[in-house]
Amino acid sequence: MDPVQRVSSREVYRNNWMTVREDDVRRLDGSEGIYAVVDKPTCAVVIPFDGARFHLVEQFRYPLGMRRWEFPMGTAPELADVPPLELAARELREETGLIAGSMTELGVTDVAAGMSSQRGRVFLATDLTQSEAQREVEEQDMRTAWFDLDEFEKMIAAGDITDAQTLAAYALLLVRERVL
């Protein structure tokens, strides 16, 4: 038995990217409470790597009020459930214009498990060729650039890369390299 049981649920908000619901719950000891949950479809996080450099995107993140460097990532619009590999290839092409000859799945991340049901699937994209980016209107201010490993890690240390999904994806890549 789960330690927290949903008694009732109501949707409080919906748009093309997410829903927010409020659940009345009962804990093992019988006490009651509520959870606010953000439901979003699985996202794809892509690590474009040419053997020496990572390709990052920089965009304005409205909730933070600042521009942030991160790996290309995203979900499908209208809450669509797209196969993760297809989603990863689409996000990579859309945001960077890159097309991967090889995509290797590295693992799964929980985006914000204390408040969201969303999970991330992380892919390493290699054998890259350049084409035109196909950005959505929300991504019109996006910039992209290549960074070598040393520069990338210095950006993490300096706090220039703080995106949790990017950091988790890089950790999965490091673990994979050490295990293989």
Side-chain angles (χ1 to χ4, degrees), residues 70-158:
E70 57 198 40
F71 287 132
M73 68 183 79
T75 61
E78 299 177 21
L79 301 172
D81 188 18
V82 176
L85 182 60
E86 181 183 325
L87 180 61
R90 185 187 71 105
E91 287 298 321
L92 179 64
R93 183 182 61 255
E94 179 184 288
E95 293 185 3
T96 68
L98 292 170
I99 298 170
S102 176
M103 292 277 257
T104 305
E105 187 166 357
L106 300 179
V108 178
T109 62
D110 293 321
V111 176
M115 61 178 248
S116 178
S117 63
Q118 187 179 39
R119 304 193 88 190
R121 301 284 288 272
V122 179
F123 292 86
L124 175 64
T126 55
D127 188 24
L128 301 164
T129 56
Q130 187 67 57
S131 66
E132 289 294 317
Q134 301 168 354
R135 296 188 185 117
E136 297 172 350
V137 68
E138 295 88 359
E139 299 167 332
Q140 62 186 297
D141 71 321
M142 186 176 280
R143 293 177 243 178
T144 66
W146 288 96
F147 297 93
D148 65 34
L149 177 61
D150 187 51
E151 189 175 12
F152 176 77
E153 289 183 344
K154 284 180 181 174
M155 291 170 72
I156 292 171

Side-chain angles (χ1 to χ4, degrees), residues 47 106-107 167-180:
I47 303 173
L106 300 179
L167 298 172
Y170 185 54
L172 286 170
L173 178 63
L174 291 176
V175 167
R176 179 180 179 273
E177 288 177 352
R178 289 191 178 121
V179 170
L180 294 181

